[in-house]
Structure formats: structure tokens, C-alpha cells
Amino acid sequence: MAASDEERLRRALRLHLAGEADAAERAYRALLDDPALGAAARHWLGFLLSQRDRLDEALPLLEQAVAAEDGHAEWHFNLGLACARQGQAEAAAAALRRATELDPSRYFYWTNLGAQLLRLARGSDAEPALRQAARLDPDCPDAFYLLTQALLQQGRHDEARRCNAQGVLAEPPGKMPPIAQAQALCELGRMEEARAMAEDWLRRQPDHPVASHLLAAFGGAEAPKACAEMYVGSAFDAASRSFDDDLARLRYSGPQWLADCLLRQAPAPKSLSALDLGCGTGLAGERLLPYALRLDGVDLSAGMLMQAQAKGIYDRLAQAELRAFLRSAKMSWQLIACLDTLPYLGDLDNVFDWLARRTEAGGLLLFCVESLIDGGVDYALHHSGRYRHAPSYLDRLLSEGWRVLERTAMPVRDEAGCPVAGEFICARRLGKANFDQF
């Protein structure tokens, strides 16, 4: 290759790097027929056109370049990215695979290969590629998050949760909230480090409700029988604006189960007095409304109640703690829903005593809990900050004045993409129904 030919290519590359795209394109095109430089010119022109979103023009050039000279890992990598952007996952995976064969030292070759295999639902093939990426760069959170997806595709939920936690801890300092970091440490069994974070928070902000609750959840203090009101109120006030979107992202199954169960179990439409306990933004209330002659809602969070009020579906909304509301209420209801609320209460004995008093004979109670699979106790505070309840505990609570109509074990929602085991229960209050007044 003549020195002048090399200089022409270097000049085209300099123009490209300087952002002079039109001039660089002309310079590359002038070299396409050069016997020595044609393949390189095709690659760099294809790369430039890909950067300019001219993918239909870019792909043939990139393919021609690797066909002429197969030994450049970067060329295969750029071809793989262009194919991926065109939705050609199979071709992208093949090109990226070849890039890793030629240069296995680049972690981002492996992460991109894994991502394309995931698009093809080939989690078991993606897994070794992503593990290699994590080995090459243990500080790369993307490798762990993609590996989490690969494990989820294979149904390996426990491993996926731990892998996601590794991704959280690999994030740059300050990127993730301290709560997420501490809970990730718990997921990895590093409880002492999690407790140290909560203790440090309390030293800086004594009596902070969230820090105090998390310290108990992490095993650094005796677990209370229920979440503190200030903890629940502050947490949900902070989440209220994005709550509906957040629960959709977490695949929260409560509202759909409620709608399906009511379709099977509820009497005629617009016939019941209904209470939405822990109403939040009104996700459950929207499903209760078709059956409610009157619909009341109660929640501890003012922020949540503002969102619920804006939907205009409730006849009355009250800001109160659930147990206090049930104790002070002057009426009873024919339909009570309590979805995704009991996980913030550990001891449910008094709650069910008051639910029995506030549910009319023959009335329906629909609720869900997160399941405590083992442990030999009625309930336990999980490091998520929520309580989980044993099925045997629910058996005892429901044996006193209730007839279970439906009881379904199913995920309540996802955490880190993994299902959180739960139970959804519909029970009828024993006694003769008298709904004529409604």
C-alpha cells in the first residue's frame, strides 16, 4: 500500500472523528474501489452511515467489509450493532459472537452478545456470555442486570435476585439510593453491612422513621408488630405521583385479581356498600366501583389520597391508619377490599377482629398477603421492609367467622423482575345476609 493511500484513509478517519460527516463520507467513498483500502473504507463508511441512522445503506457496506476481511473484531462488532438496530437479532448475535472469538477481552462485546441472545429468548445461551462480561469487568452493572434477565428466562429466581443485587452494588457511587444498596446487601447475605448503613443513617438523623424501620428489617433491632405510621406515610407520600406507573412496571396483580374475583363472587352491579382499605391512588377502587352503591376509601398517605381524589371514584375519602379507622368507624360494609396493605402490618389478630365487626353478615372480604413460606412463625419482617404471613396463620384468622370462597397462591408483584409469592383470598362473613337496604 502506497504511503499516499494510507494518508488518504487517515485523513478520512480524522474528518470522521472531527464530526465532519459529509466530508468524511466523500473521502471514504473515494476509496471504495481501492484494492488495498476498499474493505476498510467500506467498514468505516458503513459505521459512519450507521451513526447517521442510514442503516439501509450501512448494513450492506458493513457486511461486504467483513466478507472481504474477516479478522477485525471491531468490524464484526459494528456490524452486530447495526443489525441489532434493524431488529435483526439473529444476524446481530452471529456478528457479535464472531467479535468475541476474535477479541475475547472486551466486556462490551460480551454484554451486547448477551443482550441479543436475550432478545431471541435464549437465556441459557446468553448466560455464559454475560458471566464472562462480569468476570472481565466486575464493576459493570449492565452485565449483572442482563444476567438477571437470562436467569429469569430460565426461571432461576433466587439466583436472579442475587445477580440483580450485584448490579445495584456495582453502580457508581451516588447512583442508587442507600435503601436499594442496603437491601441489595441483604439479598447477598451481607446483613452486617446493611445494618451498618441503617445505623449510620440513624446517627446522622436520629429517630428517622425509615432508617429505624429498616434497621429492624435488617435484624439490627427488634421487629415491631407493624410498620410505624410515620414510615408508611412518608414512604407512600414520596411514591404517590408515580405510584400507578411503578406498580404497572412491577406487574402488580392485585387489581386484575380483584376484578376477576368480583365478577365471580359479587352480587348485582351498583348494589353494595364498599370500603377500600389502604386505597392508595384508587387502583382497587376502580375495580370496586361497578359493584358499589357507595364507595369509601381510607389511606394513611395524604399524597396517595390526593391522587385518589383526582380520579373522582370515591364517595368519601379519609386519612387514617387502617386499624384506627376500623375501631372508630360508625358503620359496616358489605364489601371490603384490602389489597397490598396487610404486608405493612405484622400482627393481624386485632385487624381481623375489627374486620369481622365492620363486614356485614354475608358480606365479602377480599385481601392479599405476601407469603411466609417457612420459619415456624405467624409472620416475619422481610428486608424489603414488608411483612410476610404464614398460610397457617391465615387459616386460624379465617376460621373465626369466615367462609373462604376463593384462595389463590400467586405472585403479588415483582421485585427485581422476580415474583413475590403471595396469597389472594376472598371470604364471606358468616351469618344471614340482609342487603335489602342498599
Side-chain angles (χ1 to χ4, degrees):
M1 183 189 309
S4 59
D5 292 338
E6 292 181 354
E7 179 53 36
R8 290 168 66 197
L9 180 59
R10 284 195 292 269
R11 177 178 177 276
L13 289 168
R14 286 195 297 269
L15 290 168
H16 190 163
L17 289 170
E20 299 183 36
D22 291 338
E25 180 178 344
R26 290 192 296 270
Y28 288 139
R29 290 192 182 280
L31 295 168
L32 292 180
D33 294 329
D34 187 291
L37 297 174
R42 278 174 170 75
H43 166 258
W44 291 115
L45 176 57
F47 180 53
L48 174 65
L49 295 174
S50 178
Q51 289 178 313
R52 305 185 80 183
D53 293 324
R54 293 160 60 183
L55 291 168
D56 289 341
E57 300 173 71
L59 271 175
L61 291 163
L62 293 167
E63 291 167 345
Q64 292 163 19
V66 299
E69 294 185 20
D70 179 63
H72 301 278
E74 185 178 15
W75 295 12
H76 287 278
F77 177 71
N78 289 332
L79 172 60
L81 294 185
C83 289
R85 290 176 60 195
Q86 287 285 73
Q88 299 177 17
E90 287 281 7
L96 293 164
R97 174 74 71 187
R98 182 58 179 151
T100 64
E101 293 169 353
L102 292 167
D103 183 359
S105 68
R106 304 293 183 94
Y107 81 90
F108 52 89
Y109 286 5
W110 295 101
T111 54
N112 279 276
L113 171 60
Q116 293 310 306
L117 292 170
L118 288 173
R119 289 181 66 182
L120 295 164
R122 291 165 54 186
S124 59
D125 293 330
E127 181 183 348
L130 295 166
R131 289 196 183 280
Q132 177 63 13
R135 281 191 291 270
L136 289 169
D137 186 358
D139 296 323
C140 173
D142 287 350
F144 292 109
Y145 294 144
L146 289 167
L147 181 55
T148 298
Q149 294 181 42
L151 294 168
L152 287 172
Q153 283 190 4
Q154 300 173 72
R156 292 155 61 185
H157 296 129
D158 289 343
E159 293 174 79
R161 278 189 289 269
R162 291 192 294 272
C163 193
N164 182 78
Q166 289 177 282
V168 170
L169 296 178
E171 292 281 7
K175 174 73 178 297
M176 301 298 289
I179 294 175
Q181 291 178 305
Q183 290 172 336
L185 289 168
C186 291
E187 199 65 60
L188 296 171
R190 295 159 61 179
M191 303 300 293
E192 289 187 9
E193 295 174 72
R195 288 193 286 269
M197 289 187 70
E199 289 166 351
D200 179 64
W201 189 351
L202 282 171
R203 279 192 293 271
R204 290 182 283 108
Q205 295 179 274
D207 300 321
H208 192 288
V210 177
S212 298
H213 182 73
L214 291 178
L215 181 60
F218 301 159
E222 183 178 353
K225 292 186 176 182
C227 296
E229 292 184 34
M230 288 188 65
Y231 166 72
V232 176
S234 62
F236 280 94
D237 283 346
S240 60
R241 290 186 180 274
S242 61
F243 190 71
D244 289 8
D245 291 339
D246 290 343
L247 287 188
R249 177 176 50 80
L250 296 174
R251 298 197 301 175
Y252 171 49
S253 52
Q256 187 59 56
W257 172 82
L258 181 63
D260 294 342
C261 187
L262 287 172
L263 192 62
R264 294 186 292 268
Q265 302 295 345
K270 292 293 183 184
S271 61
L272 303 176
S273 59
L275 172 63
D276 188 0
L277 276 175
C279 65
T281 62
L283 290 173
E286 291 170 326
R287 275 67 176 185
L288 294 168
L289 186 62
Y291 302 91
L293 186 62
R294 171 194 173 94
L295 178 58
D296 298 318
V298 58
D299 202 277
L300 186 57
S301 164
M304 290 289 181
L305 291 171
M306 287 179 63
Q307 301 297 320
Q309 181 70 47
K311 293 183 178 179
I313 59 176
Y314 293 94
D315 294 289
R316 183 180 67 142
L317 286 167
Q319 183 178 4
E321 194 272 336
L322 178 153
R323 293 165 298 181
F325 178 86
L326 291 174
R327 283 195 299 269
S328 63
K330 303 301 183 185
M331 62 177 291
S332 56
W333 290 265
Q334 298 162 325
L335 172 59
I336 297 180
C338 189
L339 294 188
D340 208 35
T341 301
L342 297 182
Y344 294 94
L345 302 170
D347 187 338
L348 299 181
D349 286 77
N350 289 337
V351 175
F352 269 76
D353 287 343
W354 284 106
L355 283 170
R357 300 184 195 190
R358 299 302 174 220
T359 307
E360 290 199 7
L364 297 176
L365 170 66
L366 299 97
F367 68 96
C368 67
V369 298
E370 294 181 11
S371 296
L372 180 63
I373 306 302
D374 50 31
V377 295
D378 289 342
Y379 60 88
L381 180 59
H382 188 258
H383 64 250
S384 64
R386 294 157 64 99
Y387 291 88
R388 296 183 173 182
H389 295 89
S392 58
Y393 183 37
L394 300 179
D395 291 342
R396 177 166 63 79
L397 294 171
L398 291 164
S399 69
E400 301 173 9
W402 301 93
R403 180 164 68 90
V404 175
L405 303 179
E406 297 188 22
R407 185 168 181 173
T408 305
M410 59 185 281
V412 177
R413 67 184 189 292
D414 287 352
E415 283 182 2
C418 303
V420 176
E423 282 196 276
F424 288 79
I425 297 173
C426 174
R428 187 179 300 282
R429 185 80 177 101
L430 295 179
K432 181 175 175 57
N434 179 17
F435 292 170
D436 295 342
Q437 61 179 306
F438 296 96

